[in-house]
Amino acid sequence: MTGRMTSRAKGAGSLVAQVSERLRKDILDGVYAPGARLPSELELTEAHGVSRTVIREAVTGLRYDGLVEVRQGAGIFVLDHQSRATPPKLDRARLSSDLEVLEIRTPLEIEAAGLAALRRSPAQEEAIFDCHAKVLECIEADQSIRLADFALHKAIAAATNNPLFTQFLDMHGAAAIPQSKTVADNRTAEQTAYRRLIHREHQAVVVAISDGDEKAARSAMQEHLRGSQLRYRDLLRDLRGLGSDA
């Protein structure tokens, strides 16, 4: 089952990357000039021979690159990319599969948190605290917390003393941590607030593990990962922002 899901995710990701690159090339080559409206979602679907989902994810990638914007009820319009600073790029091929990985992670990491509370050694507990502190350092330095976030979850998995939990995270790497939304310079406070929310959720997990409270550790991890799923779904809806005629 896992192999089939992985294969399907990779196939969809490949199509998204191909369509996104074609559209990007057309935009950069001037086929679609700044201010021009791209073909509708239906037209793009027919032209590229792919599903609407693929088109939506490809457009999401273009939005993250600052090449297009979606105007509700009007369509997709090309931005003046030459006068815009290029925002940080995200791994567009994983936008859909991130949520799938997160859904699989949730029951496994709830169990991992409970086991870590029961089994952690003093050295493993210290490693968890160190990783938690690193997340805060990244927040204070206005840096991405993705790698530090991943390291914390790995430290918790290691504290189960069951190597299969760590192997699962290693299989996906930092991609197991959902990508957060890039924001404009004047909205960095919003990004920081989001990161601090994640840090508070982590703290509840870390404290419960340190206290040896299995029930509280499971509950805190469930709240954190279920909340991440809700936030990620909101992010995808916001990024797509496509009307029925777009």
Side-chain angles (χ1 to χ4, degrees):
M1 177 65 72
T2 301
R4 287 198 295 272
M5 286 197 305
T6 301
S7 176
R8 184 164 61 248
K10 287 182 178 178
S14 177
L15 286 176
V16 170
Q18 291 174 25
V19 174
S20 184
E21 287 305 317
R22 290 176 196 163
L23 291 174
R24 180 178 290 99
K25 186 176 186 303
D26 285 344
I27 291 172
L28 296 178
D29 289 348
V31 176
Y32 301 114
R37 182 183 185 279
L38 289 185
S40 69
E41 180 183 303
L42 178 59
E43 290 170 334
L44 289 173
T45 297
E46 294 175 347
H48 294 276
V50 296
S51 68
R52 287 194 174 212
T53 298
V54 170
I55 293 300
R56 288 167 183 162
E57 299 300 345
V59 169
T60 293
L62 297 177
R63 291 185 69 186
Y64 262 111
D65 286 348
L67 296 177
V68 303
E69 68 175 357
V70 177
R71 301 174 189 170
Q72 192 67 35
I76 309 163
F77 292 83
V78 178
L79 297 173
D80 184 0
H81 53 275
Q82 293 182 340
S83 63
R84 292 171 61 91
T86 302
K89 291 186 178 181
L90 299 181
D91 186 351
R92 297 176 299 277
R94 296 202 62 90
L95 279 171
S96 293
S97 60
D98 271 356
L99 182 56
E100 295 174 342
V101 173
L102 186 57
E103 288 173 345
I104 296 299
R105 278 182 57 204
T106 298
L108 291 176
E109 293 208 58
I110 290 173
E111 179 69 12
L115 291 176
L118 295 175
R119 300 177 178 175
R120 82 273 184 262
S121 68
Q124 289 169 333
E125 182 179 355
E126 188 67 26
I128 290 172
F129 275 119
D130 287 344
C131 290
H132 182 52
K134 180 61 178 177
V135 174
L136 182 58
E137 288 178 14
C138 291
I139 294 173
E140 298 293 348
D142 196 24
Q143 298 173 349
S144 170
I145 66 172
R146 199 176 193 193
L147 293 179
D149 190 331
F150 178 65
L152 173 59
H153 282 273
K154 272 197 66 176
I156 293 171
T160 67
N161 291 298
N162 179 338
L164 294 182
F165 285 101
T166 305
Q167 287 173 21
F168 172 80
L169 290 176
D170 283 337
M171 179 174 65
H172 295 284
I177 306 300
Q179 303 178 68
S180 60
K181 184 177 181 180
T182 51
V183 298
D185 290 341
N186 63 352
R187 295 177 61 194
T188 54
E190 178 183 331
Q191 182 75 286
T192 299
Y194 169 82
R195 290 169 176 168
R196 289 191 180 278
L197 169 62
I198 299 300
H199 187 258
R200 289 195 298 273
E201 291 178 351
H202 283 162
Q203 182 165 311
V205 178
V206 169
V207 170
I209 291 174
S210 179
D211 288 343
D213 191 333
E214 176 188 5
K215 182 177 179 181
R218 291 176 184 272
S219 178
M221 184 64 83
Q222 176 175 334
E223 181 176 352
H224 170 51
L225 292 178
R226 293 280 167 80
S228 293
Q229 288 185 42
L230 292 174
R231 288 188 291 268
Y232 196 68
R233 286 192 172 95
D234 287 343
L235 170 61
L236 289 179
R237 283 195 292 266
D238 180 53
L239 291 177
R240 285 166 178 162
L242 300 175
S244 58
D245 61 342

